Amino acid sequence: MPESKDLPTRWDLIVVGAGPAGLAAAIYAARARLRTLVLDESVPGGQVKTTHKVSNYPGFPEDVRGKDLAAAFALQAERFGATIRRAVEITEHDLAGPVKRLVLDEEETVEAPAVVVATGARPRELGVPGEPRFKGRGISTCATCDGAYFDGKAIHVIGGGNSAVEESLFLTQFARKVTIVSRYDQLKAEAAIVEEALHHPRIEVVWHAEPRAFTGEGTLQGVRLEDLRTGALSEHPTDGVFVFIGHHPRADLVKGLVPVDERGFVRTGEDMSTPVPGLYVAGDLRAKPFRQITTAVADGTIAALAAQRYVKGLERHAAQVMSPPGPGGAVAETAGSPA
């Protein structure tokens, strides 16, 4: 549906974040006839839209491009009636009360009895000298975004998990050589892609190593590595570095409202609920052992179903309170707390 900058003030459900968790929540909520608003600082898709290809999403026997899968999620949510506001900034918020309020771009206020926060996580930084200086000038966290700029170049990938190995394989389409830097003696990714990477003619691995500095004049020219077994430092020329070492939770909206684990990820109930009635958290922002597109979609589904039950419970409670006295002057029994 066409996007309007003049939004209604009142909604049944507001979803913050248009990644797989947020869009799955929007699909289920809108299909259940909840007036659903989705807010995102960018365009829909979250991290999926920057993923070169997705090979393990059910229903796609062939690989699907991340941006195409993200676009399909968004179109489906809009088809069921959800409104998606793109490129919006939440400048004020109050999610603690029975009515949750958010101010958008310092201009509009929207509110709802229920909110699903699905803001995900942002890439972790290494915190070594030269990283801020060369970010965007040789250092990247998005292979899909920047891989083509390194056509015919020799590059390094920092990390050894699924993202690092998957994106290393993707980068071989452009780079003449990809060197993976792993702090362990093995790659901690799915066996199938590890096997592919270790046998790829353009991929090499430096084991037991971590970056200690990035060097260069104007643009990135080298990475200094420490051998974690001996402490020895070595200089490695490079045309670019891609960093894939995990993510930090984007929990600013719920900071101080909800319990978090030692890394700052939000602890929720099995129904994605938090101690704040009507406030749910779904997707990569949650504390959980696995973070995949499928687990995010599952979170969003559960959050939407729980939010629907909560909102409908509020409506039933309000209707019973407002109903006229029954026979004999007895007032209809009121409901307790919404389920």
Side-chain angles (χ1 to χ4, degrees):
M1 68 175 55
E3 184 173 328
S4 170
K5 288 191 177 291
D6 297 319
L7 293 173
T9 298
R10 186 77 177 193
W11 301 82
D12 294 321
L13 176 68
I14 296 173
V15 179
V16 184
L23 291 174
I27 289 168
Y28 271 80
R31 195 166 184 267
R33 305 291 179 87
L34 296 185
R35 292 168 295 172
T36 303
L37 172 66
V38 182
L39 306 173
D40 198 273
E41 64 183 8
S42 180
V43 296
Q47 294 179 54
V48 173
K49 66 176 179 283
T50 63
T51 301
H52 167 54
K53 65 179 181 179
V54 178
S55 303
N56 55 1
Y57 194 79
F60 291 85
E62 302 297 329
D63 295 341
V64 57
R65 293 189 301 177
K67 65 179 182 180
D68 293 339
L69 185 60
F73 287 162
L75 286 172
Q76 190 174 7
E78 291 178 316
R79 180 168 73 88
F80 286 125
T83 296
I84 301 177
R85 171 64 73 84
R86 298 157 171 83
V88 66
E89 181 183 3
I90 297 173
T91 49
E92 294 180 37
H93 64 277
D94 179 4
L95 304 182
V99 177
K100 288 86 169 76
R101 295 183 176 85
L102 301 103
V103 179
L104 313 181
D105 296 326
E106 300 181 344
E107 294 178 351
E108 295 176 274
T109 298
V110 292
E111 57 186 37
V115 167
V116 174
V117 178
T119 45
R122 65 179 180 276
R124 288 180 58 194
E125 297 179 348
L126 291 160
V128 303
E131 186 176 20
R133 178 184 177 191
F134 295 113
K135 188 171 293 184
R137 291 188 293 172
I139 296 178
S140 173
T141 58
C142 179
T144 306
C145 308
D146 299 327
Y149 295 115
F150 295 90
D151 192 34
K153 305 293 186 180
I155 61 176
H156 286 68
V157 170
I158 313 301
N162 280 319
S163 294
V165 179
E166 287 173 353
E167 301 301 356
S168 293
L169 289 166
F170 167 66
L171 288 165
T172 60
Q173 297 180 74
F174 310 102
R176 59 180 172 82
K177 180 181 178 182
V178 177
T179 300
I180 300 175
V181 179
S182 171
R183 68 191 310 267
Y184 304 105
D185 61 358
Q186 59 183 325
L187 298 174
K188 296 182 178 295
E190 295 176 4
I193 60 172
V194 168
E195 185 74 11
E196 183 179 354
L198 293 179
H199 288 87
H200 198 289
R202 293 191 183 183
I203 294 179
E204 294 183 2
V205 183
V206 177
W207 306 104
H208 299 289
E210 281 188 346
R212 290 295 176 255
F214 297 105
T215 59
E217 296 293 333
T219 59
L220 180 68
Q221 295 173 318
V223 55
R224 183 177 302 141
L225 298 180
E226 178 185 352
D227 187 318
L228 298 177
R229 295 164 297 184
T230 66
L233 297 175
S234 56
E235 303 290 338
H236 297 254
T238 191
D239 296 310
V241 170
F242 288 79
V243 180
F244 302 107
I245 57 169
H247 293 80
H248 283 298
R250 304 185 64 184
D252 291 347
L253 280 179
V254 294
K255 188 174 182 179
L257 283 179
V258 298
V260 298
D261 67 8
E262 64 280 358
R263 295 186 298 159
F265 290 92
V266 177
R267 299 185 186 277
T268 71
E270 291 187 3
D271 61 353
M272 309 299 136
S273 63
T274 71
V276 179
L279 180 60
Y280 304 86
V281 170
D284 285 0
L285 180 56
R286 282 187 64 228
K288 56 183 181 177
F290 303 110
R291 291 180 171 82
Q292 296 287 307
I293 302 172
T294 48
T295 63
V297 167
D299 285 358
T301 300
I302 295 168
L305 294 172
Q308 176 192 356
R309 183 173 62 181
Y310 177 80
V311 171
K312 296 302 182 183
L314 290 176
E315 292 175 353
R316 288 195 299 271
H317 179 70
Q320 289 173 337
V321 169
M322 295 299 294
S323 61
V331 178
E333 182 181 356
T334 59
S337 298

